[in-house]
Amino acid sequence: MPIRVLLDRVLLERRMSLTELADRVGVTIANLSILKTGKARAVRFSTLAALCRELDCQPGDILHYEPGPADTGFEDDEET
């Protein structure tokens, strides 16, 4: 997947735990953990907005695009 999630880095910079972020955003720790480890296949804009609000950051601070040789486009157009 050419999208990397940099939530660990942002949490470290903000000196915030995953548990604290989950409480502030209203998302389960399990779901944030899936996002943090890069195993999430999608994220709602409302969740991304809440993360940015609580972390005082931009979406690009959390998500990073890294194209690679296998990056041929969308795997599943239904998720866009």
Side-chain angles (χ1 to χ4, degrees):
M1 174 68 89
I3 303 293
R4 281 193 38 229
V5 179
L6 306 174
L7 192 54
D8 271 344
R9 182 179 56 88
V10 178
L11 284 170
L12 185 63
E13 289 172 358
R14 305 299 189 274
R15 298 180 183 194
M16 187 183 299
S17 70
L18 194 64
T19 303
E20 182 181 352
L21 181 61
D23 289 341
R24 288 182 177 199
V25 173
V27 175
T28 66
I29 295 172
N31 284 338
L32 277 185
S33 180
I34 290 168
L35 179 63
K36 184 180 83 156
T37 59
K39 295 180 182 177
R41 297 205 25 96
V43 62
R44 290 187 174 135
F45 283 152
S46 59
T47 302
L48 184 58
L51 290 170
C52 289
R53 180 189 68 233
E54 294 303 325
L55 294 169
D56 190 28
C57 68
Q58 294 294 312
D61 297 330
I62 298 172
L63 303 174
H64 181 75
Y65 175 71
E66 289 183 354
D71 182 26
T72 59
F74 291 103
E75 291 178 20
D76 187 275
D77 288 337
E78 292 179 359
E79 293 181 17
T80 57

